[in-house]
Amino acid sequence: MRYRHVSVPRIGGAEVLRLSSDELPAPTVGQVRVRVLAAGVSYGDILLRAGVIPGGPKRPFTPGYDLVGVVDQVGPGTRAPEPGRRVVALVRSGGYAEYAIVAANRLVTLPDGVDPVEASALALNYFIAQQMLHRVAEVRPGGTVLVHSVSGGVGTAFLELAGLAGVTVYGTCSAARAEQVRALGGRPIDRAEDFLRVVRGLPGGAVDAVFDPVGGRHFMRSYQAVRRGGVMVGFGQNAALRGTDRRDLLTGAQGFLGGIVLPKLIPDGKRTLFYNAWSLEKSHPAAYQQDLATVLELLQKGLVSPRVGRTMPLDEAADAHRAMESAAVTGKIVLVPATA
């Protein structure tokens, strides 16, 4: 039996994505084969395709950080949900496929009544926002945070999760997206404005935490918006890594050094760190299962509403990347294999 999956054979633009066909592998000990129902498209997939994330998977690889599917086969001697059970997983790669081999300990049961496409739209974005807000920054009810690119997928997750936790969110976005942010309880800051000036005009002149996916030199400005005892959390290098030449990479490295590393040497009571879900699992082994289950339960209860911008088949993965890069779609793009 054969299955289809999207492959990245070399560094490049969306045009390098290829729909490949291979023999369907069987799971080994500790693994489960999942028939994929939905897989989210993220900006991280684009950066991996462009080859600008250090330590990415060896090419050729199948992109896709999250998948929702049905357990098809369990490896020998493996404790896992039984065949037929619907599951969700966050993985380093492999989501853009009709079937995926997944480590059994990555699987979290999909709650009854939850739509697979909505779960895929939620899984990665809400999981990382949940971890950064509660495990990393530990923002308390009544706290105030600043989220950059707040109208995007992760930003929307921050708005909903912070609202549930009684946390006020200020967020940078385009003027066109301001009403969207207000509708979710956020307080928009026009991207054309100086966000530092706005923050310094707030009571106390600073916020408890800043969450910055922009990167580069932007990290240092975000750090300056944090109060004593607060934290600046970087979780992307979108601006610095948007290109692929040496100058872009150098800008990203300099920004990381100046905005994440050097502030640690300043005795001002502030913290800086770069969020990495995989590293957090090393220090908090139970966090992955707990936090993914938590956001899925919120979805089941109707307490959060991830936006699905468009569903597309696997053979349109390149168009999905182009749409995401050009911001042509508002909301999460989800790939739905034909076997679903």
Side-chain angles (χ1 to χ4, degrees):
M1 180 176 174
R2 300 183 70 83
Y3 80 110
R4 300 184 308 157
H5 61 98
V6 176
S7 177
V8 179
R10 65 184 186 279
I11 292 173
E15 72 280 355
V16 306
L17 295 176
R18 293 288 181 269
L19 189 62
S20 303
S21 176
D22 286 299
E23 286 294 325
L24 186 63
T28 59
V29 176
Q31 295 180 332
V32 173
R33 188 169 70 200
V34 176
R35 178 169 61 86
V36 179
L37 300 176
V41 177
S42 73
Y43 197 72
D45 299 333
I46 292 170
L47 296 178
L48 283 177
R49 186 206 70 213
V52 294
I53 295 182
K58 182 180 178 181
R59 290 174 293 275
F61 69 93
T62 296
Y65 281 114
D66 68 78
L67 60 90
V68 181
V70 177
V71 173
D72 180 64
Q73 184 177 340
V74 177
T78 300
R79 294 184 60 185
E82 66 274 10
R85 182 65 63 88
R86 299 192 310 165
V87 292
V88 183
L90 299 180
V91 292
R92 291 180 183 269
S93 62
Y96 295 15
E98 292 178 330
Y99 288 85
I101 300 294
V102 182
N105 62 6
R106 304 302 300 172
L107 300 179
V108 174
T109 300
L110 182 68
D112 292 340
V114 174
D115 177 72
V117 170
E118 285 194 341
S120 183
L122 167 130
L124 180 64
N125 291 343
Y126 283 71
F127 171 82
I128 65 177
Q130 172 78 9
Q131 290 209 325
M132 285 190 280
L133 187 66
H134 295 295
R135 289 196 185 271
V136 177
E138 298 181 311
V139 182
R140 305 301 182 195
T144 302
V145 303
L146 171 65
V147 178
H148 292 294
S149 301
V150 75
S151 62
V154 178
T156 298
F158 268 117
L159 286 168
E160 292 205 292
L161 295 173
L164 292 174
V167 173
T168 299
V169 178
Y170 288 85
T172 60
C173 64
S174 66
R177 299 286 180 87
E179 284 306 316
Q180 170 191 315
V181 173
R182 289 192 187 95
L184 290 173
R187 305 184 184 188
I189 299 174
D190 193 317
R191 190 172 291 156
E193 291 187 70
D194 180 352
F195 71 84
L196 263 179
R197 181 187 61 78
V198 175
V199 169
R200 286 169 177 165
L202 300 176
V207 293
D208 297 305
V210 178
F211 302 97
D212 189 334
V214 181
R217 297 186 178 92
H218 204 262
F219 280 158
M220 178 53 76
R221 288 179 54 77
S222 290
Y223 170 75
Q224 294 169 355
V226 177
R227 66 166 178 80
R228 185 177 183 85
V231 60
M232 196 288 287
V233 182
F235 66 102
Q237 287 272 35
N238 292 354
L241 297 179
R242 194 173 297 278
T244 59
D245 64 30
R246 294 177 64 87
R247 288 174 299 177
D248 294 309
L249 297 177
L250 180 61
T251 298
Q254 290 174 337
F256 189 91
L257 178 65
I260 301 291
V261 180
L262 292 183
K264 295 179 183 295
L265 306 177
I266 303 172
D268 60 2
K270 301 180 184 181
R271 292 186 296 133
T272 61
L273 58 88
F274 193 85
Y275 168 79
N276 182 307
W278 315 110
S279 296
L280 185 62
E281 288 182 33
K282 295 178 182 178
S283 57
H284 298 78
Y288 168 75
Q289 291 274 342
Q290 291 173 355
D291 296 340
L292 184 51
T294 292
V295 294
L296 288 168
E297 183 180 2
L298 293 175
L299 178 60
Q300 182 191 38
K301 293 180 177 178
L303 296 175
V304 294
S305 301
R307 293 176 297 158
V308 178
R310 185 184 300 174
T311 59
M312 305 175 74
L314 282 181
D315 57 8
E316 294 181 15
D319 290 335
H321 276 216
R322 293 186 187 101
M324 187 161 199
E325 289 178 283
S326 64
V329 175
T330 300
K332 185 83 168 182
I333 299 175
V334 179
L335 298 179
V336 181
T339 58

